[in-house]
Amino acid sequence: MKKTILTLSLLGSVFAYSQEKNNTTKEKQIEGVVITKTKKAVEQKADRTIFDFSEQPQLNTGNVLEGIKKLPGLVSTDIAGMMYQGKMLDVYLNGRPLNITSNELNSFLEGMPANSVDRIEVITQPGAEFPATSGGAIMNIITNKNANKYLTATYSGNYSFSDYDKYRSRTSNSVNLNARNKYFGWQLNVGQNYRENMMNTQQDELLSSNTDRVSRGYFAKAGVTFDLGLDRLLLNYDIYHNNNDNYTLSSGFAAKVIPDATLPDGYYLKDYTFNNNFDASNSNNVRQEAVVTYQKRFDDKAKKLDFQFGFTKSDNKFNQDNILRYERFTDGQPVNNATGNILNNSTDMKIANFKVDYSQPIKLMDGGKVSFGGLYEKMDFDTESRGLTNLEYQRQTASTYLEFQAKLKKFDFIVGGRAENYDISGVARMYSSQKGLVETDLIPFNKFKFFPNASVQYSLMNQVYVAANYNRKISLPSISALNPNNTTFGGPNTQINGNPNLQPTIFNNYEIKVSAFDYAFIGYSVSSAQNQVAQLIMRDGRNLYNQQVNISNMRIHNFNVGLPVPFMIFSKPLSEIMKFNFNPDKINFMYLYAGYQKHEIDDLNNKGFWIFNIMTQLILPKEITLNANYSYLTPKGSYFYFTADKPFNNSLNLTLTKKFMDKRLTVSLFANDIFNSQVMQAHSSPLQGLPVTIRSKNDTRNFGISINYKIPTKNKLAKEDPNILNQSKKEDSSGVMQTPQ
């Protein structure tokens, strides 16, 4: 007990001392020797948590989705999306929203190698500078890499395999090229991802399936920067291509009306046995993004003016063919009634936006800053099924913001507001057997709304803070939730549809948090939501329905705590520890996280659940690093309209890492879910109809090797450039663009 108390009381001082020493080493060049600032594995800021991917092998092996699921405090499920510390996440890529969720988001993140990510910022308190549509919180995935003057290159490769009913392989490769001349600098990052995986699913006794999936992903990111005096012009172009094939064997039961009056009761029982029902589907997505940014800089480096224009186009096609289906009449023999092409759907999304951001210091209390700007965005989203454009959705958003930051002795204040005007409209079409083609207008959303935010932070002592935050946000329904067409496997008795009439969600977010020395924190937050978008799964007889609905009112409560424990505190006296200048990423330590979350929904008796995460780092002989990451989420808790029968998270991952060739070559061996305990099993709580028990198991246990090789430049005085691969104003931890070098 005494050691535990000593751990809690001395932890802050140890980490404060070490970080203060390490963080004062700004990058310098002394006789050809480059000293770089040490990255931190986890940083707690007033408004965000930053996870470094580039130097953590346990995160940057495999694909991005696998790395994200290892982050402490994050819950990711196939049925209800992603949440961090009780807040629904809006996913950004390099400072801009992806505008996709659910199954399409998972496929996109699976197609990105984790070693292409530099860091992930989870912004739990988005200020007025962020669009009010950020909802509860933002997960910003930053893929930028620093560039060196003169040509340099970095290669990253990854291979892993799983062995369940058969052997399956996964590979990823990427190359990052950087160069600069006296006129401009450029960067090019290209890569591919190949992935074979398996998924078994069960929905009551009505549907059982086994899917073999082959995923192929390709990406290219190009950036060019021109220095125009103090100003900079950045040109970026990104392209992502995912091509996925699914081969599904299924069995189940379904009831269907037969137009033949001679059959008993006019029904037959569809009994299609395993290995006798076979479907093949393909999903093909191409996402392109072009961005032009002009950064106006002044003699006063704290004053900044940015102009940015961006255009995004994303096309997705989904097809499913039924190749074999045996059906059995109630009193007859099985008959092959293969139906051929079942689904033939496509989507086309276009987003154009222009924004302006300005900030400068002002004389306010003991010093302050004012920021203001505006954004105009236009989205067109069309869906098509078998040649019929069954949804035309348009959204225009015009917004402006003003935010003040000030300091008074030990207090820091942020007060701001964002005004946004929405004009949402559209048309839905469908065929009716009685009326033919039916066309209806969507429920319009044409409103002007104001979203305030306020934060206060008090410094208890050096690097120990107490902060209280409030913000009001809105979350617009994602395009995947609006899509009326099914873009996943559809069985003969399943109805999977989006809802084009979903209404935006309004959030009121409150939080109080105590943080110490970047790593340790304890906090409580509550999000009150109106019209929260959620997934419903129900059954009616022998038919399954998967729908998107609005929850009129709900509240999400979240308590969480994070605590690092350096192992030396149990073996060394305090006097010796305080004299020891160490880097936390180079010592033996354990990081503990625990969170409790409860979803309150009217007319439902939902229970809360606990989230636990333990990450341990051990430095072995020969400078080999062992990282262990264990995640567990208690069962029987309710997650929106689902209750977990088994833990959503339950996996142990191990990574061994060794650096060679003067740390230019990094080799990692890893094993994910070594006990094969990760499985998703839950039952639904629908508003009507009967509940459904859902179970899915992926081949999460896999083993592999990851390699990262940095080809050195021959010029030892090569100077580091700022990131230019789709850099945006909010990509640094302080929320302000770093001044060009």
Side-chain angles (χ1 to χ4, degrees):
M1 182 66 182
K2 290 183 178 179
K3 286 187 176 182
T4 303
I5 296 175
L6 182 64
T7 300
L8 295 173
S9 60
L10 301 183
L11 181 64
S13 300
V14 173
F15 272 78
Y17 183 80
S18 65
Q19 290 300 321
E20 194 169 314
K21 290 288 185 183
N22 288 326
N23 290 342
T24 56
T25 58
K26 303 267 187 189
E27 187 175 293
K28 296 179 181 179
Q29 293 176 359
I30 304 175
E31 296 180 356
V33 178
V34 177
I35 302 175
T36 58
K37 179 178 177 180
T38 302
K39 288 187 175 183
K40 302 174 185 178
V42 182
E43 289 187 78
Q44 291 290 333
K45 298 295 184 182
D47 66 338
R48 71 191 67 192
T49 303
I50 303 169
F51 300 95
D52 173 48
F53 264 56
S54 62
E55 302 297 329
Q56 296 194 74
Q58 76 274 16
L59 297 180
N60 64 27
T61 56
N63 60 61
V64 173
L65 184 62
E66 292 172 335
I68 287 173
K69 288 184 176 182
K70 298 175 186 177
L71 300 182
L74 190 139
V75 180
S76 176
T77 69
D78 296 333
I79 59 177
M82 293 183 183
M83 296 186 72
Y84 181 77
Q85 295 183 4
K87 298 179 180 180
M88 293 300 298
L89 285 174
D90 192 11
V91 182
Y92 281 46
L93 182 66
N94 296 318
R96 285 173 295 279
L98 280 174
N99 289 295
I100 53 177
T101 58
S102 187
N103 180 68
E104 294 178 21
L105 175 62
N106 290 344
S107 296
F108 181 82
L109 297 178
E110 284 178 343
M112 290 181 61
N115 52 31
S116 68
V117 174
D118 183 55
R119 65 188 186 275
I120 287 182
E121 298 180 348
V122 182
I123 305 163
T124 53
Q125 293 295 331
E129 290 181 83
F130 291 94
T133 51
S134 56
I138 294 172
M139 181 170 66
N140 187 20
I141 302 170
I142 300 171
T143 62
N144 300 345
K145 301 292 182 182
N146 286 341
N148 291 327
K149 290 186 176 180
Y150 311 96
L151 180 64
T152 62
T154 300
Y155 165 78
S156 297
N158 185 88
Y159 173 78
S160 65
F161 68 91
S162 64
D163 192 1
Y164 284 72
D165 56 313
K166 69 177 184 178
Y167 189 89
R168 295 177 174 87
S169 299
R170 304 167 186 177
T171 63
S172 65
N173 298 276
S174 65
V175 176
N176 193 39
L177 302 175
N178 314 276
R180 163 169 284 277
N181 55 43
K182 63 180 180 179
Y183 301 107
F184 60 88
W186 61 269
Q187 295 180 39
L188 177 64
N189 186 207
V190 296
Q192 63 83 219
N193 182 45
Y194 176 82
R195 179 181 175 87
E196 299 173 347
N197 70 295
M198 171 272 293
M199 181 175 69
N200 292 326
T201 62
Q202 181 74 43
Q203 297 185 30
D204 281 352
E205 80 285 0
L206 301 183
L207 179 63
S208 177
S209 65
N210 177 276
T211 300
D212 250 326
R213 186 182 185 191
V214 179
S215 306
R216 309 168 192 85
Y218 312 92
F219 71 91
K221 296 167 58 63
V224 181
T225 179
F226 299 89
D227 293 326
L228 308 174
L230 294 177
D231 303 342
R232 284 203 309 168
L233 175 65
L234 290 86
L235 307 177
N236 296 102
Y237 173 75
D238 298 353
I239 183 169
Y240 301 87
H241 180 207
N242 289 309
N243 186 4
N244 305 325
D245 291 320
N246 296 300
Y247 305 97
T248 303
L249 295 171
S250 64
S251 62
F253 300 92
K256 187 176 181 181
V257 176
I258 297 297
D260 189 347
T262 63
L263 292 177
D265 300 325
Y267 290 87
Y268 70 76
L269 176 66
K270 187 181 297 180
D271 175 8
Y272 49 105
T273 57
F274 204 80
N275 296 328
N276 284 335
N277 192 70
F278 179 63
D279 292 81
S281 63
N282 173 265
S283 177
N284 197 315
N285 175 258
V286 178
R287 181 185 179 91
Q288 302 176 75
E289 188 171 58
V291 181
V292 178
T293 306
Y294 185 83
Q295 300 172 341
K296 176 67 179 176
R297 296 297 179 258
F298 305 88
D299 292 334
D300 182 356
K301 293 184 178 181
K303 182 189 295 187
K304 299 174 182 179
L305 175 62
D306 292 345
F307 302 91
Q308 186 178 92
F309 173 77
F311 180 77
T312 302
K313 179 175 172 58
S314 179
D315 300 304
N316 185 71
K317 296 180 179 179
F318 179 81
N319 288 276
Q320 179 180 334
D321 293 314
N322 175 238
I323 299 173
L324 186 65
R325 174 172 298 165
Y326 275 97
E327 299 175 347
R328 190 195 310 270
F329 291 97
T330 52
D331 58 352
Q333 296 297 318
V335 177
N336 183 4
N337 284 329
T339 53
N341 186 254
I342 298 174
L343 299 172
N344 186 355
N345 303 322
S346 64
T347 64
D348 180 22
M349 180 188 73
K350 301 183 184 70
I351 302 177
N353 60 65
F354 176 76
K355 68 175 184 176
V356 180
D357 293 292
Y358 176 80
S359 64
Q360 71 168 47
I362 58 173
K363 294 181 179 180
L364 184 63
M365 299 181 184
D366 295 337
K369 184 180 78 168
V370 61
S371 303
F372 58 87
L375 168 71
Y376 176 79
E377 182 176 88
K378 180 176 174 56
M379 170 193 279
D380 290 306
F381 176 60
D382 298 336
T383 68
E384 185 177 293
S385 178
R386 299 187 181 281
L388 172 66
T389 302
N390 52 2
L391 175 65
E392 294 180 3
Y393 175 88
Q394 299 89 34
R395 184 179 78 207
Q396 296 183 65
T397 306
S399 61
T400 184
Y401 72 89
L402 177 65
E403 187 173 77
F404 294 94
Q405 299 181 27
K407 184 176 181 64
L408 179 62
K409 296 181 180 179
K410 292 187 176 183
F411 287 92
D412 290 277
F413 302 94
I414 299 176
V415 177
R418 189 176 185 97
E420 298 201 347
N421 186 77
Y422 308 97
D423 184 2
I424 302 175
S425 61
V427 175
R429 301 180 182 90
M430 65 176 294
Y431 278 111
S432 169
S433 57
Q434 292 82 19
K435 301 179 181 180
L437 181 63
V438 178
E439 181 174 300
T440 58
D441 293 331
L442 302 184
I443 300 174
F445 187 82
N446 193 340
K447 294 184 179 181
F448 175 85
K449 289 186 174 293
F450 179 72
F451 302 93
N453 69 283
S455 301
V456 58
Q457 180 173 276
Y458 177 73
S459 177
L460 289 173
M461 60 183 71
N462 184 31
Q463 295 195 54
V464 180
Y465 304 97
V466 179
N469 301 283
Y470 165 76
N471 63 60
R472 180 178 171 85
K473 297 292 182 181
I474 187 172
S475 178
L476 304 177
S478 69
I479 59 173
S480 55
L482 294 167
N483 189 356
N485 301 321
N486 179 19
T487 57
T488 61
F489 169 74
N493 55 355
T494 56
Q495 303 291 327
I496 304 176
N497 301 103
N499 183 356
N501 285 306
L502 289 173
Q503 293 298 290
T505 307
I506 302 294
F507 292 94
N508 284 284
N509 303 309
Y510 308 85
E511 182 182 51
I512 184 168
K513 182 168 70 172
V514 179
S515 58
F517 319 111
D518 292 333
Y519 285 81
F521 70 94
I522 182 171
Y524 169 77
S525 66
V526 59
S527 292
S528 177
Q530 298 176 343
N531 288 327
Q532 170 69 57
V533 177
Q535 186 180 29
L536 270 183
I537 295 180
M538 57 162 285
R539 63 177 290 180
D540 182 8
R542 290 187 171 180
N543 289 306
L544 294 166
Y545 297 90
N546 189 325
Q547 302 169 332
Q548 300 286 339
V549 298
N550 283 118
I551 303 174
S552 57
N553 289 285
M554 75 169 295
R555 290 156 300 284
I556 301 176
H557 300 267
N558 190 81
F559 167 80
N560 56 94
V561 57
L563 185 68
V565 181
F567 291 155
M568 68 170 61
I569 204 167
F570 299 105
S571 60
K572 296 181 182 293
L574 175 61
S575 57
E576 183 178 345
I577 292 176
M578 295 303 293
K579 294 178 182 178
F580 189 67
N581 182 17
F582 61 84
N583 173 7
D585 297 332
K586 301 297 181 182
I587 65 170
N588 299 322
F589 74 96
M590 178 181 295
Y591 187 81
L592 306 175
Y593 172 85
Y596 177 78
Q597 194 173 128
K598 184 174 182 179
H599 296 191
E600 289 186 2
I601 301 177
D602 294 343
D603 302 324
L604 284 180
N605 185 24
N606 281 352
K607 297 180 180 180
F609 54 87
W610 283 93
I611 308 164
F612 298 102
N613 182 272
I614 302 174
M615 194 277 281
T616 301
Q617 176 176 279
L618 297 175
I619 308 300
L620 305 179
K622 304 294 184 180
E623 295 186 338
I624 298 174
T625 302
L626 170 65
N627 291 100
N629 190 301
Y630 178 68
S631 298
Y632 183 80
L633 191 152
T634 57
K636 309 306 179 184
S638 299
Y639 194 76
F640 292 101
Y641 286 115
F642 298 91
T643 299
D645 298 320
K646 293 182 178 295
F648 285 152
N649 289 342
N650 185 17
S651 65
L652 174 64
N653 310 295
L654 299 177
T655 306
L656 283 170
T657 303
K658 169 71 176 173
K659 294 182 181 290
F660 303 91
M661 303 173 64
D662 196 23
K663 298 184 178 181
R664 295 196 305 271
L665 174 64
T666 302
V667 179
S668 298
L669 301 176
F670 59 89
N672 293 323
D673 191 17
I674 60 175
F675 295 124
N676 198 29
S677 53
Q678 181 64 42
V679 63
M680 193 285 293
Q681 181 172 320
H683 63 269
S684 64
S685 301
L687 300 176
Q688 58 184 357
L690 298 176
V692 180
T693 297
I694 306 159
R695 186 183 190 277
S696 66
K697 180 69 178 81
N698 293 296
D699 50 347
T700 50
R701 182 172 60 185
N702 58 82
F703 308 88
I705 182 172
S706 178
I707 298 174
N708 185 277
Y709 179 61
K710 300 177 181 178
I711 302 174
T713 175
K714 294 182 179 180
N715 192 318
K716 295 182 178 181
L717 297 180
K719 185 180 178 182
E720 190 177 74
D721 270 354
N723 300 326
I724 63 174
L725 286 183
N726 266 358
Q727 187 174 13
S728 75
K729 184 178 180 182
K730 302 304 293 187
E731 284 173 13
D732 62 283
S733 60
S734 63
V736 180
M737 176 76 75
Q738 298 296 317
T739 305
Q741 299 181 12

